[in-house]
Amino acid sequence: MKLEQAKQQFVQTWGNFGSQWGINRSMAQVHAFLLVSDHSQCTEDVMESLGISRGNANMNIRELMNWNLIYKESVVGDRREFFRAEKDMWEVAKRIVKERKRRELEPLQHHLAELKKVEQSYESISFVATIENIERLVTRLDGLSNTLMKADEHVFFGKILNMFK
Amino acid sequence: MKLEQAKQQFVQTWGNFGSQWGINRSMAQVHAFLLVSDHSQCTEDVMESLGISRGNANMNIRELMNWNLIYKESVVGDRREFFRAEKDMWEVAKRIVKERKRRELEPLQHHLAELKKVEQSYESISFVATIENIERLVTRLDGLSNTLMKADEHVFFGKILNMFK
DNA sequence: TCAATCTTTCAATATTTATTGAAACTTTTG
DNA sequence: CAAAAGTTTCAATAAATATTGAAAGATTGA
């Protein structure tokens, strides 16, 4: 396979993967495109390479900036904005975890806490028990996220994987 | 809040959470309904409680069975099928991880391995390096999944969280 | 300042994904 | 064995999500 083909293939693969995890397919594709670009790229480059509209390209580039997965760069003598991706994949993983924790795990924890305030009754006992079981799991996943976000890659995986051999 | 209200609220919350992670909202809602049901429930119960059609209820019940998150149960003197959810949330987590690993992580690993076979050139070097970085991360996540699927809850979280304090 | 260039917004539209419901199929029971 | 009761399928439809593109808004530099 030729390099350009492989890059396009990767864009598709990463787009599919993202979309299976609730990430907008185009956003994942833009991310993929920048991950395999050697130089920073402008909006036009993204539009052309992925065959998407300006609005779409712009929106997803902004969103990737919000996730802190890509950076804006200036090219001297050019007023367009250029973008490059963070390529340290451990950093990328940390930032995705950080964002999803904030957007999804934390609101869920808040909701579960609220549900425990249900009016007490004989029948509410098992309901609250179930909610508390879920809460415990979510709290632990949250703790795991915190750990991951602070840890060094080698330490994180090295220790865990050895431990359970 | 009254118990019935709280259960309905939980169904909404769990449905939203699932849908943010690429799980069909109705499937997550059916799961939630069974998680907070004290007794096993039949298709009619699901249809009525969630206000969905027979086809939809049936399909998502089947899918939850495929994921091994709910069980079929017989009630004597009733020919309908009844369903109850696995309530051990650590088991639930393990089974979800197992399924997503199989459906998403493993195909991704396969694709990444293929991409490394790109025709070699000066410019392919950095591309392959990026793919290998992603591959390393995915392989480690895969290892983490394996660890989690085999581990006891207390051991898994206890050791990890203490370690990185 | 203002014209040129680039970026953002958002209502209209297209695409994807989910849902319905009736017909076909299966199982049980008298 | 046939009717009743329950389950599954799937083409049609609805709903949710994503995309477009043109107009409005910024920014730059002469």
Side-chain angles (χ1 to χ4, degrees):
Chain A
M1 207 193 310
K2 295 255 191 270
L3 180 59
E4 278 315 309
Q5 257 188 297
K7 286 188 176 184
Q8 288 292 333
Q9 184 55 251
F10 174 67
V11 165
Q12 295 305 315
T13 296
W14 200 239
N16 282 337
F17 186 68
S19 114
Q20 287 177 309
W21 288 82
I23 300 295
N24 179 296
R25 175 179 250 100
S26 293
M27 174 169 149
Q29 288 183 340
V30 174
H31 188 214
F33 170 65
L34 292 175
L35 275 173
V36 296
S37 294
D38 288 328
H39 310 294
S40 61
Q41 307 282 328
C42 69
T43 304
E44 293 279 349
D45 297 330
V46 170
M47 291 166 61
E48 190 190 351
S49 177
L50 305 189
I52 63 178
S53 71
R54 183 174 304 284
N56 195 1
N58 181 265
M59 158 185 289
N60 286 300
I61 286 170
R62 289 309 129 199
E63 194 61 5
L64 285 163
M65 298 267 288
N66 290 342
W67 284 65
N68 201 23
L69 297 177
I70 66 174
Y71 309 110
K72 197 187 289 193
E73 266 189 358
S74 297
V75 168
V76 286
D78 198 325
R79 35 201 278 203
R80 291 172 297 176
E81 295 180 321
F82 285 76
F83 306 93
R84 78 183 158 80
E86 171 60 55
K87 301 221 180 169
D88 176 339
M89 291 308 292
W90 180 242
E91 263 308 315
V92 170
K94 283 188 189 182
R95 291 176 193 181
I96 290 173
V97 166
K98 182 179 178 185
E99 204 61 24
R100 300 206 74 152
K101 169 182 151 70
R102 184 177 72 75
R103 293 172 183 232
E104 295 143 16
L105 238 43
E106 287 171 5
L108 176 62
Q109 283 182 299
H110 177 257
H111 280 124
L112 293 173
E114 282 299 313
L115 287 172
K116 288 198 298 181
K117 297 181 187 161
V118 64
E119 194 173 280
Q120 289 198 344
S121 70
Y122 175 69
E123 289 161 328
S124 76
I125 294 173
S126 66
F127 171 76
V128 172
T130 297
I131 298 298
E132 280 173 347
N133 286 339
I134 295 171
E135 204 179 26
R136 194 178 66 226
L137 181 68
V138 174
T139 299
R140 284 174 166 184
L141 289 176
D142 189 68
L144 184 58
S145 313
N146 290 334
T147 299
L148 182 141
M149 289 185 322
K150 279 180 280 180
D152 172 77
E153 180 178 7
H154 288 65
V155 176
F156 186 80
F157 286 109
K159 285 196 181 176
I160 289 176
L161 296 184
N162 280 329
M163 190 187 311
F164 296 98
K165 265 208 205 119
Chain B
M1 207 194 305
K2 296 257 191 265
L3 180 59
E4 279 314 310
Q5 257 187 298
K7 286 187 176 185
Q8 288 292 334
Q9 183 56 249
F10 175 66
V11 165
Q12 294 307 314
T13 297
W14 201 239
N16 281 338
F17 186 67
S19 112
Q20 287 177 310
W21 287 83
I23 301 294
N24 179 297
R25 174 179 252 101
S26 294
M27 172 168 151
Q29 288 182 340
V30 173
H31 188 214
F33 170 64
L34 292 175
L35 275 174
V36 296
S37 295
D38 287 329
H39 310 294
S40 62
Q41 308 281 330
C42 69
T43 305
E44 292 279 351
D45 297 330
V46 170
M47 289 166 61
E48 190 190 349
S49 178
L50 304 189
I52 62 177
S53 71
R54 185 174 302 283
N56 195 0
N58 181 266
M59 159 185 288
N60 285 300
I61 286 171
R62 290 308 129 198
E63 194 60 7
L64 285 163
M65 297 267 288
N66 289 341
W67 284 65
N68 200 22
L69 297 176
I70 66 174
Y71 309 110
K72 196 187 291 193
E73 265 187 0
S74 297
V75 167
V76 287
D78 198 324
R79 32 203 281 202
R80 291 172 297 177
E81 295 179 322
F82 285 76
F83 306 94
R84 78 183 157 79
E86 171 60 57
K87 301 221 179 169
D88 177 339
M89 292 307 293
W90 180 242
E91 263 308 315
V92 170
K94 282 188 190 182
R95 292 176 193 182
I96 292 172
V97 166
K98 182 179 177 186
E99 204 61 24
R100 300 207 72 153
K101 169 184 152 68
R102 183 177 72 74
R103 293 172 184 233
E104 295 142 17
L105 235 46
E106 287 172 5
L108 177 61
Q109 283 183 298
H110 177 258
H111 280 123
L112 293 174
E114 282 299 312
L115 287 172
K116 288 196 300 181
K117 298 180 187 162
V118 64
E119 193 172 280
Q120 289 199 345
S121 69
Y122 175 70
E123 288 160 332
S124 76
I125 293 172
S126 66
F127 171 76
V128 172
T130 297
I131 297 298
E132 280 172 346
N133 286 339
I134 295 171
E135 204 179 27
R136 194 177 66 224
L137 181 68
V138 174
T139 299
R140 283 175 165 182
L141 289 177
D142 189 67
L144 184 59
S145 312
N146 289 334
T147 299
L148 182 141
M149 290 185 321
K150 279 180 281 181
D152 171 79
E153 181 179 6
H154 288 55
V155 176
F156 187 78
F157 286 109
K159 286 197 179 173
I160 289 175
L161 297 184
N162 279 329
M163 191 185 310
F164 296 99
K165 268 209 201 115

